Amino acid sequence: SIAKMASSSSVPKDIHRLTVEDWKAIFDQLESGPRDKLRNSIENALKKKKPNNAKKRRIADLDSDHDKEEQTNTNTTSAEPPQKKLKASTPSIDDICRDLREQATKDEIKKIVVGGLIVNDANEMLVLQRAKNEFMPNIYEIPSGTKDPEDNTLIDCLGREIKEESGLVLSETLQFVGSFDYKSNSGKPTRQFNFCVAVESTEKVTISDEHQAFAWIKQSELFEAESGDNKYTDVVSKITPQVRDILRKGFKTLTQ
């Protein structure tokens, strides 16, 4: 009977779905009944194998969810991550000093001087009066000095000169405010770099033999005289125009 059905076009198309257990059950039925019931037994077995509509719906829903998940994963993968806005970095004091020295070398500057703008609690800036026997005697200047070979950096030189000329201790270099050029006593092209600085305390100023006096000047002394309404005070009148300009820039920087 099986062979006859196999050669017949009436064989169910999904007969391949029957398992060994299904065929055993079919043959058990054949042994207890006529063999012409073979087709009916096969069809009954296949009906038991067909999922009901509810199961079909569940399978369809699972397939749909799987498709959606794949689409979501594809979109997530292909989407470019949001770009972070880059903030412009502020150059460090060390970077600024390196650039200043490189530029001075290009400009064939033979001597480097570093100066510090020091402000006390009353918002007054420190100036020192040079000794009578010094180069450019009696003028007032900010604490400053020549970079020596033992100074590894401009800031090393700045801290050393502030300590030697005023007795104050450098605690922080705040900002570069400008430079100016001049000829040294020996005629060398010289450039002075000037920085706003903070010191540990401004209560006790101790000057060196290179100076004869010191003074604290107010911002108004520089700007009122500049307008022409008032004459410079005795101290400010003894400050060179280049240093007065640096002092003005220093006050503006510290009050911003």
Side-chain angles (χ1 to χ4, degrees), residues 7 49 76 88 106 134 163 187 199 207-208 221:
S7 62
K49 301 292 287 183
T76 303
K106 292 178 182 178
E134 287 288 328
K163 178 66 175 176
V199 294
I207 60 176
S208 68
E221 295 179 58

Side-chain angles (χ1 to χ4, degrees), residues 91-100 153 155:
S92 67
I93 290 294
D94 290 339
D95 292 337
I96 292 172
C97 290
R98 183 184 63 250
D99 293 343
L100 293 174
T153 67
I155 304 307

Side-chain angles (χ1 to χ4, degrees), residues 46-237:
L46 288 173
K47 287 178 180 179
K48 294 178 181 179
K49 301 292 287 183
K50 292 179 181 180
N52 55 31
N53 290 336
K55 186 174 181 180
K56 286 181 180 180
R57 285 195 299 272
R58 287 196 298 272
I59 293 174
D61 291 341
L62 289 173
D63 289 341
S64 176
D65 292 341
H66 179 69
D67 291 340
K68 290 178 180 178
E69 183 178 354
E70 285 187 345
Q71 181 66 29
T72 301
N73 292 338
T74 301
N75 293 339
T76 303
T77 303
S78 61
E80 294 184 0
Q83 296 294 326
K84 294 182 178 179
K85 293 183 179 179
L86 299 178
K87 294 183 178 179
S89 59
T90 302
S92 67
I93 290 294
D94 290 339
D95 292 337
I96 292 172
C97 290
R98 183 184 63 250
D99 293 343
L100 293 174
R101 293 184 65 179
E102 289 177 357
Q103 187 59 50
T105 301
K106 292 178 182 178
D107 295 341
E108 299 183 350
I109 298 297
K110 302 304 180 182
K111 185 177 180 181
I112 297 295
V113 174
V114 188
L117 301 173
I118 301 170
V119 176
N120 62 15
D121 294 337
N123 291 323
E124 298 168 327
M125 200 163 287
L126 179 65
V127 290
L128 310 175
Q129 187 179 25
R130 293 181 68 86
K132 295 178 181 180
N133 59 345
E134 287 288 328
F135 171 62
M136 301 179 71
N138 300 321
I139 70 164
Y140 280 86
E141 61 182 359
I142 62 176
S144 57
T146 305
K147 183 182 180 301
D148 291 340
E150 62 266 25
D151 298 321
N152 293 324
T153 67
L154 296 181
I155 304 307
D156 289 342
C157 172
L158 182 60
R160 178 180 57 77
E161 289 291 346
I162 288 175
K163 178 66 175 176
E164 289 177 1
E165 295 192 351
S166 69
L168 304 179
V169 179
L170 175 69
S171 60
E172 185 179 3
T173 304
L174 302 174
Q175 189 171 336
F176 173 69
V177 294
S179 65
F180 56 84
D181 295 352
Y182 63 95
K183 293 286 186 179
S184 70
N185 189 29
S186 60
K188 292 181 179 179
T190 304
R191 180 166 294 171
Q192 178 168 320
F193 300 119
N194 304 283
F195 298 84
C196 286
V197 301
V199 294
E200 293 181 359
S201 173
T202 58
E203 291 181 3
K204 186 178 180 181
V205 176
T206 304
I207 60 176
S208 68
D209 294 337
E210 296 178 2
H211 299 92
Q212 56 181 305
F214 72 92
W216 293 96
I217 61 172
K218 296 180 173 60
Q219 182 177 9
S220 59
E221 295 179 58
L222 293 166
F223 288 92
E224 288 177 3
E226 184 185 36
S227 67
D229 297 335
N230 299 293
K231 293 181 179 180
Y232 284 124
T233 62
D234 181 62
V235 171
V236 176
S237 67

